[in-house]
Amino acid sequence: MDDNKYTVSFEQLPDENPSEYNYEEVPVEDDVPAMDNDEELVATVRVLQEAADDDTAMTERAAAARPVLITCPPSVDDFVRSFLLKIGMQRTLDTFQAEFFELQQKGQLREEDLFDVPDIYARNQQLDDQLKVMRHERDKYKAASMAAREMYVKLRNERDYHRMNHRRVMQEKNKLLDDIKLMKRHYAAYEPTLEQLRHKYEVAMKEKMLSKLERDRAMGQVAGLQSTLKSLEQMRGSSAQRPAGGGGAGDAAELRAAPTAGGRAGGGRELTGKEQMAERRRAEARQDVANLPAGYVRHPKDKDFPKDRGINPALANGRGAPVHLTRSGGLKLSNTWEAHEAAVEAALWSLPGGECQFTGEGHSQWVSSAHFHPSGSQLVTGGGDNLVKLWDLHVGECLHTFNEHSSAVWSLQYHWTGNFIASASMDNTVRVFDLGSVRCRQILRGHAESVNSVSWLPHGNLLLTCSADKTLLVWDPRVNHAAFSPKGDTVASVDSFGFLKVFDVRADRPKSALDLGPHAANCVAFDPSSTLLAVASNDATVKMIEVATGGVSKLEGHEDSVQFCSFDQHGDCLISAGSDRTVRVWN
């Protein structure tokens, strides 16, 4: 027994030893008298019954011989020890043990004092333990029940969600089936038309083949007549100048001219809408390539972009937002009025009354954007009719209309000086209009899809655009293109006036400038040695400039504005591309 362990129950085992069991000897009769069949059956049954009874008796005796656990009620001192041990009163237990054994050794404990604890206390303890176990199991089952309930609610919600989605998918499926049936009926009606067109195409191809055969036959006849005339001229010699000979030459000239005249007649068809649009764009691109008078300079009324001062006056405004704008619910609806009969994309109304201040009718389609002049005296608008209109608010009339865009105008804005207007259009371009010369100064191409918005940098010259091609571009309208030299110590730039400037990256000013105008310069490139510059110009030429001396030479060959130029990595050739839809290689 350990020092801290005490017995609280008593078990008694019986003293019987199964090995000392006295078995009765059963004599074996060797001679069994013969019996009849009935007697044998009865005897056999009796023997089997006796054997079964013997087995039952053996089983009962074996069960009785097993050890029996007899639980005796604990004595009062054992009960006290168990109680103190259970609640952890170790020091009290040690004191009790010392005093108890001291009294026991002295014989001062009477037998009536050491009575057994009634079974009711032990039974209460057992019931209390069972109650704790059952409460624990109840809490566990309750938690499992709550988890099962939550799982049931979750599964039910998911079932309802998937059932709703299933219904929606079935509705969409039925709608798609109806649309497919409708499209089948719709396209079935085209079958006769397609058959007719196919028949007409075959007839046209046959006529084309016949016409080609007739043309070849006519050309053969012309060739035969030309050879005949040639042989006649050789035979006659000097007599070829006589009227008869002259008449033969005239006939030959008429025969040679006949196919050409036929070709001109065939080429006189009307252009389609797309071809007219393409021709219009090519004509616009060729405007700057037209022959200009000698001594032509840039437009005298063109405005200059202001110099960047590097300071935005708005930065001095250090005040924060008003309190009523920052707190929740600070803004409330104060007024509403009906402005137009269709969707409103820009506003020009007097606040807070909502009186209409100006109405201008000039656009043939919807108006998408409007912007005030910084002075407030003018207004510029753009819309779906591809036009940009300039309005005088004092007079209430349209001052000028810019029609350079070939698609709808989405956005426009005045420069902070009021001298320029930038417009963004569905034709994938941004145009800068000069209000001094009242003309389009520059076309910014770089977006692959419709340009949806344009905005000037406050008190600056940079231009920000966004497009449906998911890109934002920042432009400097003063510079068309810039490039580093291969050595990395020099930068060259060109602008829309044709000025070329060469900068040393270690200085803050250009080290040389050259006027290549009046046509705009679109691209600049260094050769691998950094001694030559190539400039692509709107006058359909590529200009070659010696960096050291400033000497200029021209490469002529393009039929329209040159938009790009670049040297190969070895400097052996120059590649250029232009609005005439050609790429040219110069060796």
Side-chain angles (χ1 to χ4, degrees), residues 124-149:
N124 288 340
Q125 186 66 31
Q126 293 177 358
L127 293 176
D128 185 60
D129 295 340
Q130 292 180 2
L131 181 60
K132 291 181 180 179
V133 173
M134 294 180 69
R135 284 179 178 175
H136 177 70
E137 293 181 352
R138 181 201 63 185
D139 295 339
K140 182 173 67 174
Y141 292 149
K142 186 176 180 180
S145 174
M146 294 299 295
R149 180 179 179 82

Side-chain angles (χ1 to χ4, degrees), residues 301-303 419-420 432-439 441:
K301 294 184 178 181
D302 277 346
K303 299 290 185 179
N419 295 328
F420 306 96
V432 179
F433 299 97
D434 191 322
L435 298 185
S437 57
V438 194
R439 69 188 184 100
R441 273 275 297 274

